[in-house]
């Protein structure tokens, strides 16, 4: 028996040939034996008479029969299948000699200890030098293992075709290697256009945080929970701010002896609307609490003017950097009065330097030098809120813009809310933000109007009791 038969495999179907025990022949048999024994699938082969000629280690692992026990047997009858099934199994396997391509079958085989294993086989004919069928080879694996493999492949295909969240495979250089349709739409680019490009070309903001997360996963493995990452995506209509709830998986090659990172699997879902809703709800709760606390603190003030500054101080928290209260010179302005020029007197202001409580001013009654078209004057004339901003200008121009309107030098965004009480205009409260904050929005104006109602009531009370 040749070396390959002694190890459980042969270099070809059929009997041993003379002269094959030399160095060259044994080397070929040893190579074939090593290849067959290194396969992940179980493999056996039969000659044209149905005699087992090959049996690798995976077949031994699944059924328990060694190569020495299997090679040379006539079919599977009496040892690897039940006698009642032997004829049917052998007929299916040997029919592959006459059929084109591969045939797939499922049947039960017997293990050495008497157990049964359901296997899925792929069999095909082996052709001799003359092109005629010389035997059959059969690769088989346990059905549950094959199903697991098929499920994994099906899952991968579904993730990259039909998933309702973004899936991106990022290589070790942090460049997208595979992108599904959902992720391509979220990035505003085609599936093939995104491949191999640096993340910095795909995102306007948030790249550093995302790359840091990917690098961490490559080095340390997957984080225990999803991460929420804010990014700005370049879209045809302009940049869009989005929040992606992201999960990360480190990918390692199953073929390497030691885990070698292939990259990172990045799965994300757009949760921008939900996060914005949470932020708005949290902000509303905070502002409602501030109004409640301010009302309770103001109720303890003997001087109504002090109560007005208490409302102002509570409103500033998390809302603005500075605030001013300007009263209409000469008393309240009714809606039926003529359109005479309006003059405003500074009544209270927050310190422009170090932080501190608002200070009452304007005892001299001198009007503030507001020019025509000033936002505070527009607020009085319209009896409604007015927003203004310096815009995207150099810092020196923004400083001149603020000082020219009698505001602190660092003011960039402004919101004026009218002070109304008993159908009369009492003045204006002005909130100012610096360059480090965003501009005022409509929701901010609503909050400012709520504060203005409370300040106006306090100032109206001060006038009624004669403390102004």
């Amino acid at each position: 028996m040749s070396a390959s038969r002694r190890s459980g495999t042969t270099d070809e179907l059929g009997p041993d040939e003379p002269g094959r025990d030399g160095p060259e022949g044994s080397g070929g048999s040893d190579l074939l034996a090593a290849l067959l024994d290194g396969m992940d699938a179980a493999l056996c082969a039969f000659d044209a008479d149905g005699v087992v000629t090959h049996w690798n280690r995976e077949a031994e692992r699944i059924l328990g029969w060694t190569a020495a026990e299997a090679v040379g047997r006539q079919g599977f009858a009496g040892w690897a299948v039940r006698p009642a099934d032997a004829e049917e199994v052998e007929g299916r396997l040997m029919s592959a000699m006459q059929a084109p391509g591969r045939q797939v079958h499922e049947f039960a085989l017997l293990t050495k200890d008497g157990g049964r294993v359901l296997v899925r086989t792929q069999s095909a004919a082996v052709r001799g030098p003359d092109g005629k069928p010389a035997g059959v080879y059969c690769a088989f694996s346990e059905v549950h293992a094959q199903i697991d493999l098929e499920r994994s492949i099906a899952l991968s295909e579904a993730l990259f075709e039909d998933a309702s969240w973004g899936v991106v495979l990022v290589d070790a250089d942090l460049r997208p290697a595979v992108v599904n349709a959902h992720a391509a739409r979220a990035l505003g680019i085609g599936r093939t256009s995104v491949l191999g490009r640096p993340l910095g070309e795909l995102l306007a903001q948030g790249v550093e945080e995302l790359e840091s997360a990917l690098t961490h996963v490559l080095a340390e493995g997957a984080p225990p929970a999803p991460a929420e990452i804010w990014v700005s995506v370049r879209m045809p209509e302009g940049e869009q701010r989005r929040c992606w709830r992201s999960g990360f998986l480190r990918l390692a090659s199953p073929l390497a002896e030691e885990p070698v990172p292939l990259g990172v699997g990045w799965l994300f879902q757009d949760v921008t609307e939900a996060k914005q809703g949470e932020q708005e709800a949290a902000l509303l709760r905070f502002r409602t609490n501030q109004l409640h606390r301010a009302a309770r603190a103001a109720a303890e003030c003997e001087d109504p003017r002090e109560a007005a500054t208490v409302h102002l101080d509570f409103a500033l928290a998390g809302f603005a950097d500075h605030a001013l209260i300007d009263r209409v010179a000469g008393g309240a302005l009714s809606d039926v009065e003529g359109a005479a020029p309006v003059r405003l007197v500074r009544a209270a202001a927050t310190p422009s330097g170090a932080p501190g409580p608002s200070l009452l001013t304007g005892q001299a009654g001198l009007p503030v030098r507001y020019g025509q078209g000033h936002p505070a004057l527009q607020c009085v004339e319209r009896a409604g809120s007015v927003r203004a901003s310096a815009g995207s200008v150099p810092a020196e121009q923004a400083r001149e813009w603020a000082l020219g309107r009698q505001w602190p030098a660092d003011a960039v965004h402004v919101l004026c809310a009218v002070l109304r009480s008993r159908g009369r205009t009492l003045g204006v409260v002005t909130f100012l933000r610096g360059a480090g904050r965003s501009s005022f929005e409509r929701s901010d104006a609503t909050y400012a109007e709520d504060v203005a109602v409370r300040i106006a009531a306090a100032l109206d009370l001060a006038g009624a009791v004669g403390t102004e």
Side-chain angles (χ1 to χ4, degrees), residues 36 41 53 72 88 103 114 132 179-180 204 235 238 246 286 322 340-341 375 432:
L36 295 178
T53 60
E88 179 186 0
Q103 290 189 326
K132 296 181 179 180
V179 178
N180 75 342
M235 293 291 188
S246 303
F286 174 76
H322 305 287
L432 305 109

Side-chain angles (χ1 to χ4, degrees), residues 70-213:
V71 172
R73 288 180 179 266
Q74 178 70 41
F76 285 156
W79 61 287
V81 297
R82 295 189 309 172
D85 300 333
E87 182 177 353
E88 179 186 0
V89 170
E90 184 174 350
R92 287 187 183 184
L93 292 176
M94 300 309 293
S95 66
M97 291 180 57
Q98 311 301 327
R102 293 180 298 175
Q103 290 189 326
V104 178
H105 301 286
E106 288 185 6
F107 43 74
L109 296 181
L110 294 179
T111 62
K112 188 176 181 180
D113 59 8
R116 299 184 71 195
V117 178
L118 184 63
V119 299
R120 179 173 295 176
T121 66
Q122 295 188 39
S123 54
V126 177
R127 305 289 175 179
D130 57 358
K132 296 181 179 180
V136 174
Y137 82 83
C138 173
F140 63 92
S141 60
E142 297 175 81
V143 167
H144 71 82
Q146 183 71 19
I147 291 176
D148 288 344
L149 175 61
E150 291 179 2
R151 285 194 184 118
S152 298
I153 295 173
L155 174 62
S156 298
E157 292 181 351
L159 284 175
F160 287 105
E161 295 297 334
D162 306 321
S164 59
W165 56 86
V167 182
V168 180
L169 297 190
V170 182
D171 62 22
D173 296 326
L174 306 186
R175 295 172 182 252
V178 185
V179 178
N180 75 342
H182 187 97
R185 288 193 299 270
L187 292 167
I189 195 171
R191 293 182 65 177
T192 56
S193 303
V194 72
L195 302 183
R197 296 178 61 178
L199 294 174
E201 295 183 6
L202 307 175
L203 302 175
Q205 295 180 8
V207 178
E208 296 81 3
E209 185 178 0
L210 177 57
E211 289 184 341
S212 176

Side-chain angles (χ1 to χ4, degrees), residues 33-47:
L35 291 174
L36 295 178
D37 285 340
M39 293 177 61
D40 291 332
L43 185 137
C44 64
F46 306 87
D47 63 13

Side-chain angles (χ1 to χ4, degrees), residues 390 393-402:
V393 297
E396 187 58 34
Q397 292 186 23
R399 177 184 175 85
E400 294 176 359
W401 178 83

Side-chain angles (χ1 to χ4, degrees), residues 369-375 377-378 381:
R369 295 181 294 106
Y370 287 155
Q372 186 177 6
H374 191 281
L377 298 177
Q378 294 181 29
E381 294 169 358

